[in-house]
């Protein structure tokens, strides 16, 4: 009789759940910035937060904390706020959900919000490590997909698997599709969660690690706000610091043409931190910067710089005190900056998938150059 020595999914999940070197769920805070250089200058920096969900650990059974306001009962901030006068007493006594993966909350993690359109591979479908796509290959809404690369709706996979495990499989497939292989260690999502029931995220990032917890993969899930479409960029990382370039192939901003070059600088570092009870914990420091250029030169510099702490009741409460409605403020700032660019800075609007040569920006740039030469 032959006994298989290949580990099962349950065995792998058990090992991961017991692995003390695995990354804990993180709460990462820092800033996001935009520095526009052409055709007119415009700069801004805003505070930003990502929920660092270890999707591998989550699928293995490492639950996210459930946080509510019950501990605020005797806190002077709540007692002095208008909430105590407006909300029903029964609701205040029970506690308001602040962060949850199980029920509606101020911040709610919903696995089905992420990686829409990906599904686990069926038995007659195969994608191996050699089937990598180059940086310029993508699947758009109008492109047909062959039978061997079919991507079904999320509903197909969620009927068979718990939602957390389904998300892990979708992420593994997304890495294979867009980076050429799947990470051999933890897969961590830098995610924006639902905020007061509203999901909105300009970009989510997914980091992949090897068995030694060295960064090996990056996946960016980009949404273009005005058109509500998603696109994926996947790359292999070379450890803590990596740089790479590729042609832009997804229209994001109505003020940038499609024929541009993206230059990424990615830094992912692990840090050791000591809590008040003298226990050591591992955090992440992440910096992802993108320099965007075209035939005119450097057009835009943008990015995020965030540092992580373990996702606990204390860190969640502290973060939400500072910025309870980040999704809504982010959306308001995006449209506010768009209005500023168009109405005040006079940056010409660019149609969807329009090249620079066909846009009003080319005309305005030429006229400005002629004026300076005169």
């Amino acid at each position: 009789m032959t006994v298989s020595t290949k580990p099962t999914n349950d065995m792998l999940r058990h090992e991961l759940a017991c692995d003390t070197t695995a990354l804990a769920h993180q709460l990462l805070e820092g800033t996001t910035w935009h520095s526009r250089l052409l055709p007119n200058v415009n700069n801004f920096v805003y505070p930003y937060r990502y929920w660092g969900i270890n999707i591998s650990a989550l699928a293995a059974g490492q639950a996210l904390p459930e946080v509510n306001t019950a501990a605020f009962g005797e806190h002077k901030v709540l007692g002095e706020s208008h909430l105590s006068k407006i909300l029903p007493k029964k609701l205040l006594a029970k506690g308001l959900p602040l962060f949850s993966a199980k029920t509606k909350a101020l911040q709610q993690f919903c696995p089905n919000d992420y990686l829409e359109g990906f599904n686990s591979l069926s038995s007659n479908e195969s994608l191996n490590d050699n089937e990598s796509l180059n940086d310029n290959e993508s699947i758009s809404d109008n492109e047909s997909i062959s039978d061997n690369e079919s991507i079904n709706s999320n509903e197909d996979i969620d009927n068979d698997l718990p939602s957390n495990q389904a998300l892990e499989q979708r992420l593994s497939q997304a890495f294979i599709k867009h980076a050429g292989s799947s990470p051999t260690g933890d897969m961590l999502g830098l995610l924006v969660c639902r905020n007061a029931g509203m999901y909105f995220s300009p970009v989510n990032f997914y980091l992949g690690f090897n068995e030694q917890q060295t960064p090996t993969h990056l996946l960016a899930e980009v949404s273009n706000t005005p058109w509500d479409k998603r696109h994926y960029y996947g790359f292999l990382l070379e450890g803590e610091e990596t740089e790479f370039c590729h042609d832009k192939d997804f229209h994001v901003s109505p003020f940038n043409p499609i024929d541009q070059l993206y230059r990424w600088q990615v830094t992912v570092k692990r840090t050791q931190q000591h809590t008040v009870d003298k226990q050591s914990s591992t955090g992440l420091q992440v910096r992802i910067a993108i320099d965007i250029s075209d035939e005119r030169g450097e057009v835009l510099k943008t990015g995020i710089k965030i540092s992580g702490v373990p996702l606990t009741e204390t860190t969640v409460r502290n973060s939400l005190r500072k910025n309870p409605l980040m999704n809504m403020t982010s959306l308001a700032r995006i449209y506010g900056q768009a209005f500023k660019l168009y109405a005040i800075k006079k940056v010409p609007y660019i149609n969807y998938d329009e090249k620079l040569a066909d846009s009003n920006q080319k005309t305005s740039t030429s006229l400005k150059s002629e004026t300076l030469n005169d």
Side-chain angles (χ1 to χ4, degrees):
M1 182 176 70
T2 302
V3 179
S4 173
T5 59
K6 185 177 181 179
T8 64
N9 287 339
D10 290 339
M11 290 170 59
L12 292 173
R13 290 192 185 99
H14 175 74
E15 291 173 2
L16 182 57
C18 298
D19 184 6
T20 56
T21 64
L23 281 169
H25 300 306
Q26 305 266 305
L27 195 160
L28 298 102
E29 294 182 302
T31 57
T32 180
W33 70 87
H34 278 61
S35 178
R36 177 174 285 276
L37 306 174
L38 293 173
N40 292 316
V41 174
N42 186 55
N43 302 301
F44 65 83
V45 179
Y46 293 136
Y48 211 71
R49 172 179 60 227
Y50 274 112
W51 303 92
I53 311 299
N54 187 331
I55 295 171
S56 302
L58 189 68
Q62 184 179 318
L64 294 167
E66 297 289 316
V67 185
N68 57 47
T69 60
F72 276 114
E74 299 178 357
H75 198 282
K76 64 179 183 179
V77 173
L78 183 61
E80 295 173 359
S81 71
H82 295 294
L83 285 176
S84 59
K85 301 176 182 179
I86 298 174
L87 296 175
K89 292 183 178 180
K90 290 184 178 180
L91 188 59
L92 287 173
K94 182 180 179 181
L96 299 172
L98 291 179
F99 180 87
S100 177
K102 300 177 181 179
T103 187
K104 292 182 179 180
L106 181 62
Q107 290 282 338
Q108 182 185 4
F109 170 72
C110 298
N112 291 336
D113 286 339
Y114 311 103
L115 303 171
E116 290 183 346
F118 282 94
N119 193 11
S120 64
L121 299 176
S122 63
S123 58
N124 62 345
E125 294 172 331
S126 64
L127 280 175
N128 57 46
D129 290 357
N130 296 325
E131 291 176 309
S132 63
L133 300 181
N134 64 40
D135 294 336
N136 296 328
E137 291 178 328
S138 63
I139 297 176
S140 66
D141 294 343
N142 297 324
E143 289 178 327
S144 61
I145 306 172
S146 66
D147 293 338
N148 290 332
E149 299 176 333
S150 65
I151 296 179
N152 301 317
S153 67
N154 291 349
E155 294 180 357
D156 295 335
I157 187 171
D158 293 345
N159 288 336
D160 301 323
L161 287 174
S163 57
N164 292 335
Q165 295 173 19
L167 175 60
E168 181 190 34
Q169 290 202 12
R170 292 199 302 273
L171 179 54
S172 180
Q173 182 188 351
F175 274 125
I176 293 172
K177 184 68 179 176
H178 295 284
S181 63
S182 183
T184 57
D186 286 343
M187 296 186 293
L188 185 83
L190 305 181
L191 309 174
V192 176
C193 293
R194 291 190 186 187
N195 194 184
M198 183 189 81
Y199 174 77
F200 170 73
S201 177
V203 58
N204 296 313
F205 296 102
Y206 303 87
L207 296 170
F209 300 82
N210 61 17
E211 297 91 337
Q212 291 75 39
Q213 299 295 359
T214 300
T216 58
H217 292 68
L218 172 68
L219 181 75
E221 181 180 31
V222 184
S223 300
N224 52 12
T225 305
W227 302 281
D228 196 26
K229 294 182 180 181
R230 296 192 191 187
H231 184 79
Y232 300 90
Y233 292 110
F235 313 96
L236 296 179
L237 300 180
E238 300 172 354
E240 291 186 345
E241 296 188 7
T242 309
E243 293 189 11
F244 38 84
C245 297
H246 66 90
D247 290 333
K248 172 182 175 180
D249 54 15
F250 182 59
H251 195 93
V252 177
S253 168
F255 301 101
N256 284 339
I258 190 65
D259 51 338
Q260 292 186 314
L261 181 72
Y262 281 3
R263 178 175 174 268
W264 297 63
Q265 303 123 57
V266 179
T267 302
V268 181
K269 295 183 178 180
R270 292 167 65 102
T271 60
Q272 287 297 122
Q273 303 168 349
H274 297 281
T275 59
V276 291
D277 55 0
K278 297 184 180 180
Q279 292 185 350
S280 179
S281 62
T282 300
L284 280 181
Q285 289 184 344
V286 180
R287 183 182 185 274
I288 300 176
I290 307 174
D291 295 344
I292 304 174
S293 61
D294 55 33
E295 64 183 55
R296 297 170 294 180
E298 287 194 328
V299 177
L300 179 67
K301 295 176 178 289
T302 183
I304 60 163
K305 184 178 181 180
I306 49 178
S307 298
V309 295
L311 187 62
T312 65
E313 291 189 15
T314 299
T315 57
V316 169
R317 290 195 180 100
N318 289 341
S319 179
L320 293 182
R321 277 196 198 103
K322 294 182 290 185
N323 195 357
L325 300 174
M326 193 191 77
N327 292 26
M328 299 170 190
T329 56
S330 294
L331 189 62
R333 284 166 173 165
I334 286 175
Y335 281 103
Q337 289 294 332
F339 175 80
K340 179 181 177 182
L341 284 175
Y342 186 75
I344 301 175
K345 298 287 185 173
K346 305 299 182 182
V347 176
Y349 182 91
I350 291 182
N351 295 318
Y352 195 84
D353 275 353
E354 191 172 43
K355 294 184 177 181
L356 178 63
D358 303 323
S359 71
N360 292 330
Q361 278 195 22
K362 179 69 173 181
T363 304
S364 65
T365 303
S366 300
L367 289 175
K368 185 179 294 186
S369 300
E370 291 175 4
T371 302
L372 291 174
N373 291 332
D374 290 344

